[in-house]
Each structure stands twice: as structure tokens, then as C-alpha cells.
Amino acid sequence: GTRSAVLNTEARTVEADVLSRRCVMMRLVDFSYEQYQKALRQSAGAVVIILPRSISSVPQDVVRQFMEIEPEMLAMETIVPVYFAVEDEELLSIYEQTRAASASQGSASAAEVLLHTATANGFQMVTSGAQSKAINDWLIPSVEGRLTGLGGEDLPTVVIVAHYDSFGVAPWLSHGADSNGSGISVLLELARLFSRLYTYRRTHAGYNLLFFASGGGKFNYQGTKRWLEDNLDHTDSSLLQDNVAFVLCLDTLGRGNSLHLHVSKPPKEGTLQHAFLRELEMVIASQFPEVKFSMVHKKINLAEDMLAWEHERFAIRRLPAFTISHLESHRDSLRNSIMDRRARIDTKALTRNTQIIAEALTRVIYNLTEKGAPADMQIFTDQMQIQQEQLESVMDWLSSQPRAAQLIDKDSTFLNTLEYYMGRYLKDVKQHHVKADKRDPEFVFYDQLKQVMNAYRVKPAIFDLLLAVCIAAYLGVAYVAVQHFGLLYKMIQRLSLKTKQQ
């Protein structure tokens, strides 16, 4: 909600009585929504929230509290610039000195306040550059690839989708480890596994597999929306126009001991999507009994501005689709937070969830249950097992960089690496671009998302006044002393002259 970016104000902390036109500094460990509101109510010049180097070092209750506040910060439009900075020794030193100066303003003695005000060091926080302006020509890229099935031209298609972008109150700090780095990690591992199965004729399934790493997921799934429009409305030949068996969307799969299949419409018996639901239940019950599984039915609410899950984009176009996630509700604050970091990912849970999905999907497209395969038979073992080390490496890569939609373009290193990685296992890998409608864009992005802030050590204005008074007093004393010294010198000269005459 912040459009302003330029800053040139004196630093204070929330302990100060007067915050108007001041740069208010807060540490995350001491942050509260009341303090934040206090700064806004008093028309602070800016707010700087200092984040620790490692989120894992922050108490979980503090993290949860901030994650609950974050949506309100995003929803509130304000002209006050709100900055986030990662702490270091210099920044903490500035904060502590500013805090000491701010706290001293409540001293009992007016003389002490005046003396401290005159002698304390202050900091002037300054950023350079222009005010933020709207970007009307934004572009959101996505990447698709496929594995073609064996056995004819009109094969059914299974679509596997995950959005890659992250979201949070500060785009440059939005690393989105669980949401949705975990979904992309699972998608890439599934692409690797099935590419090996589709290499050999005897293990080649009679289904096309279409993989889609979508962009703009945090902006109402814009990448998926336009991809569907291009494939269903503006082309004569597309895997999506043919027989789509179902669409499986992957979202937040990096932790927890539960899995939920989110659907807009419960699948009917006899359909492939119903078979996939049953295979998930069977695989979890027989191989991973510690996992709690459920199907969550939520109808699409077209009256809301934002869709809940990515599968709803497909369901609107009457394609059978669902989303699998460890979250039971789409409203969980984890999905849109800068607190969603790598430390929150449980790699063992991510590996287990990948195996559950891979096993269930394989049993469906190879019809293994109907062929008599036992429920506890593990398919991906030995040379075909899930590679936990590779999942960890992909998660490290994804969560090491901000992936907010505003920061990703078609030439970004992240997107080129993602395209290369998918190209190792899939065929016909290519980018798909969504361009903004300049006349009526669904979203407006702004620049100036990252600024360099300089802290200049300064003395308060009263220091100059007191210094001027001291200098004037010194000069006055010196003048009087010189005058008295001159009179004394003349008297000594007269006494000396009289002594000589006598």
C-alpha cells in the first residue's frame, strides 16, 4: 500500500513522544501493530522495520504475530514510506543510539533532557531518487513443457501446474520457500521421474503429461488465466483442447504431516480424477499412515476479487482440476509472507509428499490397481527413487532469491534457469508471456521497490544554538579579560614609571 519512497528525516524509535516527520525505526522482535499504527497516526516521515539475519532465530510467536499483521499492512494504503532492512552491526548500532536518544526524552528533569538533546548523536535518514511511478507495460512469463504419451494421437492429457512467484509486504524480501518454491520443486522432480519412465517404450504410459510453471500466481493466477485463453480460445491445436483427464495443481507442500486435496466440485465415481483421489487415499493409508489426508470442497466464489486456489482457473473453464497442499485453508497467512523462508521447509516432509504424489499419479496413469498391484507396493525405489538431495538443491536455489512477479521478466536469470532445467527432462519447452492491458490493467505495479538509505550522523538544531551561545560567551569572557588585562598593564606601566622617577 505504500507509493511514496523518497525520505529525508531524522531517525527516532517508537519510545519517542513525538514521531511526526521522523523516520521511525522498529525491530521485528519488538514489532507490534499498535506501534506501527502509532507511527502512521502521528504522520511519521517513514517507518523502517529491521529484520534479523536469520528468521529461524526469531521466536515463533513473534513470526506468527507478524504474519497475521502482514495482510493488514498490505491492504492499508498509506503515503508513509515503509522500508524493511536486514540487520547488521552498523544498523543495530544506529538503532541502539537512536533508541537511547528517544527514550531519554521522557526523563524527569527538563535540564537533563536539554543537556542530552544537545549532546546526543542523531541520525538523518536519507534516500535519493524519484518518487515511485506506475509501470504500465509489465510482463509476466510462464514456462511449459510436455511428455507425449504412447498409443495414438487422441490420448488423454494430465496437466501438472505450480506457480513459481512469491509474495509479501516487501517484494525484494519475498523468497516464498513453501509458497510456492515447494510446489515448483515437486513439479521439477515429477518431470525428472516421468521423463525416465517415458524414455523406454515398455514403461511409456498412454497419457500426455503437460507441465506448466505459471507466473503471476499471487496476482489472481494471471499466467494461468492467459495461458488458458490462448490454448482454448485462440488456437486450433492444443493439448488442453483435447481430452484433459485432470489438472493437478501443486501448492505449499514443504512441511507438516497432513495433505489436503482442494476441489471446487467433488469428482464423480468412474472418472480419472476420482481414481486419483482414491489412489492418494490408498497410498497414504498403506505407506504413510502418519499423514492425515482429507478432501476439502469449496465452491468458487466469483463475487470475490481473488480466487482461492489455482485449480479454480481451470474449473471456471470446465476442466477437471484440484490443488494438493498441506494447508487446509487458502487463507493461511503463510502463502503471502516474507517470513516464508528456507528454514521453514522440512525436507523430509517435502520428499515424502513428492513420493505420495508420484506414486498415486503413476498408479492412475498405468492403471496399476486394476492390474492387481498391491497397495503397499512402492514404485519409486532404488534407481528410480525420489532424490532428496536434488529436492534440497532446488529448494536452496528457489529460496535464495526473491521471486515476486514485479521482479521477474523474460530475461531474468531465474526464468532462464527454470526453462533450462525443465528442458533437461521435457519436450517442446517454451515460455508463455502475459502482457498488461495498458488501457485497463488488472493490476498496477510500481517501481522503486529497492532503495539505498544513507544514515548521516548529525547533531540536533539546539546543539548549534547552544554551541553559538558558548562561543559568544567565550568571546565575551575573552573580550572582558583582554580589557581588564589592558587596564592592568597600563597601571603596572604607570607604577613602574613613578618608581624610576623616584
Side-chain angles (χ1 to χ4, degrees), residues 259-332:
L259 280 176
H260 305 279
L261 194 69
H262 297 269
V263 300
S264 302
K265 185 178 181 181
K268 295 180 179 179
E269 287 194 31
T271 62
L272 201 69
Q273 57 266 34
H274 185 268
F276 180 71
L277 170 62
R278 292 288 170 256
E279 296 291 358
L280 273 176
E281 292 175 334
M282 186 172 65
V283 168
I284 291 173
S286 60
Q287 301 180 30
F288 305 94
E290 74 279 5
V291 177
K292 174 187 174 183
F293 177 76
S294 69
M295 183 182 73
V296 181
H297 175 212
K298 176 193 170 298
K299 293 183 178 180
I300 300 174
N301 186 357
L302 295 177
E304 292 186 359
D305 294 331
M306 304 290 286
L307 296 178
W309 298 99
E310 191 158 15
H311 75 265
E312 295 182 352
R313 277 288 171 211
F314 295 90
I316 290 173
R317 302 302 298 260
R318 301 187 181 280
L319 295 176
F322 27 61
T323 296
I324 188 166
S325 169
H326 72 77
L327 299 178
E328 191 170 3
S329 171
H330 67 282
R331 300 186 186 279
D332 195 294

Side-chain angles (χ1 to χ4, degrees), residues 14-34:
V14 289
E15 287 80 9
D17 294 329
V18 179
L19 302 179
S20 177
R21 299 183 182 179
R22 302 291 191 274
C23 177
V24 182
M25 303 180 72
M26 307 177 183
R27 291 186 67 189
L28 179 65
V29 292
D30 306 318
F31 178 83
S32 71
Y33 194 59
E34 292 73 21

Side-chain angles (χ1 to χ4, degrees), residues 144-148 422-423 425-430:
E144 66 173 282
R146 66 185 66 188
L147 292 172
T148 305
M422 293 178 66
Y425 307 117
L426 306 175
K427 305 296 183 182
D428 301 326
V429 174
K430 59 185 178 182

Side-chain angles (χ1 to χ4, degrees), residues 6-305:
V6 177
L7 170 65
N8 188 350
T9 58
E10 189 178 353
R12 285 286 186 274
T13 62
V14 289
E15 287 80 9
D17 294 329
V18 179
L19 302 179
S20 177
R21 299 183 182 179
R22 302 291 191 274
C23 177
V24 182
M25 303 180 72
M26 307 177 183
R27 291 186 67 189
L28 179 65
V29 292
D30 306 318
F31 178 83
S32 71
Y33 194 59
E34 292 73 21
Q35 293 175 336
Y36 178 71
Q37 287 281 42
K38 174 186 174 183
L40 297 185
R41 282 196 307 269
Q42 294 195 22
S43 300
V47 174
V48 175
I49 299 173
I50 303 173
L51 304 175
R53 293 178 182 176
S54 174
I55 298 298
S56 59
S57 64
V58 182
Q60 286 303 304
D61 58 332
V62 175
V63 173
R64 283 194 298 270
Q65 180 189 29
F66 181 82
M67 289 171 63
E68 291 171 359
I69 295 170
E70 202 170 351
E72 297 185 45
M73 297 175 67
L74 281 162
M76 180 189 304
E77 185 172 343
T78 171
I79 61 172
V80 177
V82 180
Y83 286 91
F84 290 81
V86 179
E87 68 181 18
D88 56 23
E89 292 181 3
E90 290 80 5
L91 184 55
L92 286 179
S93 175
I94 292 171
Y95 173 79
E96 292 299 337
Q97 293 181 61
T98 304
R99 186 179 185 182
S102 300
S104 69
Q105 294 180 357
S107 301
S109 170
E112 289 179 353
V113 175
L114 182 63
L115 179 62
H116 191 277
T117 302
T119 58
N121 287 319
F123 292 93
Q124 190 79 6
M125 314 303 286
V126 180
T127 61
S128 58
Q131 282 287 10
S132 299
K133 63 178 184 296
I135 301 173
N136 297 319
D137 57 348
W138 51 261
L139 180 144
I140 294 177
S142 303
V143 185
E144 66 173 282
R146 66 185 66 188
L147 292 172
T148 305
L150 183 68
E153 294 183 359
D154 299 326
L155 294 176
T157 298
V158 173
V159 186
I160 302 171
V161 181
H163 65 273
Y164 64 76
D165 55 314
S166 56
F167 191 73
V169 71
W172 276 97
L173 297 176
S174 302
H175 291 224
D178 200 3
S179 179
N180 194 29
S182 63
I184 288 292
S185 298
V186 175
L187 181 142
L188 294 176
E189 182 66 2
L190 292 176
R192 184 188 70 83
L193 293 172
F194 283 98
S195 70
R196 297 188 65 181
L197 289 174
Y198 275 53
T199 299
Y200 307 102
R201 188 177 184 87
R202 61 187 179 88
T203 58
H204 210 130
Y207 286 86
N208 298 317
L209 297 181
L210 183 57
F211 295 82
F212 186 56
S214 62
K218 304 301 185 182
F219 289 90
N220 217 13
Y221 308 106
Q222 285 298 301
T224 299
K225 178 184 178 183
R226 300 287 183 88
W227 186 60
L228 283 169
E229 290 174 354
D230 289 348
N231 280 277
L232 298 180
D233 302 336
H234 305 143
T235 183
D236 296 330
S237 177
S238 166
L239 289 181
L240 291 178
Q241 283 189 332
D242 301 329
N243 180 17
V244 175
F246 61 81
V247 181
L248 175 62
C249 299
L250 310 170
D251 196 330
T252 49
L253 294 163
R255 56 183 301 172
N257 286 319
S258 62
L259 280 176
H260 305 279
L261 194 69
H262 297 269
V263 300
S264 302
K265 185 178 181 181
K268 295 180 179 179
E269 287 194 31
T271 62
L272 201 69
Q273 57 266 34
H274 185 268
F276 180 71
L277 170 62
R278 292 288 170 256
E279 296 291 358
L280 273 176
E281 292 175 334
M282 186 172 65
V283 168
I284 291 173
S286 60
Q287 301 180 30
F288 305 94
E290 74 279 5
V291 177
K292 174 187 174 183
F293 177 76
S294 69
M295 183 182 73
V296 181
H297 175 212
K298 176 193 170 298
K299 293 183 178 180
I300 300 174
N301 186 357
L302 295 177
E304 292 186 359
D305 294 331

